[in-house]
Amino acid sequence: MLKRKLTASLILLLTVCTASYSAEKEDPVLKAWSHETTAQTKEGDQSIRIKATYYSNEYVEALVVSEAEKNLWTADEMENYKYTLLKNLNLGETIPFHIDMTVRGIPMYAQPFDKHVTMMVGGKKYTPVDYDRRFNFKILGSRDGMVYFPRYDEKTGKEILAGAKDVRVIFDSSISHALSGRGDVIWVWDLAKDRGQIAGGRAADRLEADRLIKRSSKIDAERAELQKKLDELNKEYKEINSRIDELQSD
């Protein structure tokens, strides 16, 4: 489980999310990467609206440009904003989604939230590696936050979205009374339409450097652990051979 601290960086991310939704009203590109579903019980005692936004390359690029134009940023200011956005979204390691929901009538209890939402790519399902813990508490009115899925397959180490045609997010119908009568909510994002290019530029290079440094540190720790194990085996090997020599000399 990724450990995310409630620091100024997270506050900044929440500010970024708020800015993205206000920008959606004006930018069709931003709006295109969001899906929304509404439902209610037959009795009408609970209604729910759920909206999910996928941070695609195109979405991130459009958001950066929109904010830069609105704030009249210089090229350096735009790159700094982009770097901060990419880092706080943890795009180097996760696939982030912003979830916004409104519940009316009977409150919704979704604890544990990560058991009710999954991501599907290429027929394989993935559970969140992290999410806003506020989703675990009683929800009545509006609630929004981030949900993060793994970017790399735990077993193969390969990027999950590489070569994929689409990415899907599924909300289990058991998450609320309003959804239980209509079935699971399934949203599909067509990756072929993702024409953005966030891989280039100084911001992306800085993010890649951060990821490589973190990966290098992890490898160093693994090498130290393996070396410790090897030293123990070598010591045992010498002791065994020494004892064999003693026995053969008798």
Side-chain angles (χ1 to χ4, degrees), residues 101-233:
M101 59 176 67
T102 302
V103 179
R104 303 296 184 193
I106 299 175
M108 185 178 84
Y109 296 88
Q111 183 181 15
F113 183 77
D114 59 334
K115 300 301 181 183
H116 294 287
V117 58
T118 56
M119 179 182 75
M120 179 179 286
V121 179
K124 187 173 181 179
K125 290 185 177 181
Y126 300 89
T127 56
V129 293
D130 198 13
Y131 64 96
D132 191 326
R133 294 304 189 275
R134 294 179 303 158
F135 286 130
N136 285 332
F137 298 99
K138 179 181 76 172
I139 301 176
L140 184 62
S142 298
R143 184 75 50 84
D144 73 288
M146 301 297 297
V147 177
Y148 303 86
F149 291 95
R151 182 166 291 275
Y152 296 93
D153 188 274
E154 186 176 5
K155 294 182 179 179
T156 66
K158 295 182 179 179
E159 188 170 357
I160 291 172
L161 296 182
K165 295 182 179 179
D166 59 53
V167 57
R168 304 177 181 221
V169 167
I170 304 170
F171 268 86
D172 192 307
S173 60
S174 63
I175 196 172
S176 79
H177 299 298
L179 290 176
S180 60
R182 57 146 288 170
D184 297 346
V185 174
I186 303 175
W187 291 306
V188 182
W189 286 270
D190 186 354
L191 297 181
K193 296 180 179 179
D194 189 9
R195 294 179 288 272
Q197 297 292 330
I198 63 172
R202 285 175 296 164
D205 289 344
R206 288 170 63 188
L207 189 70
E208 177 68 6
D210 289 346
R211 187 184 72 82
L212 292 176
I213 291 172
K214 187 182 297 184
R215 177 59 180 162
S216 179
S217 298
K218 184 177 180 181
I219 291 175
D220 285 341
E222 291 175 350
R223 287 176 61 185
E225 185 66 26
L226 290 173
Q227 185 62 52
K228 180 180 178 182
K229 182 65 176 178
L230 181 60
D231 291 342
E232 292 173 353
L233 290 174

Side-chain angles (χ1 to χ4, degrees), residues 22 33 121 164 215 238:
S22 61
W33 292 100
V121 179
R215 177 59 180 162
K238 289 180 180 179

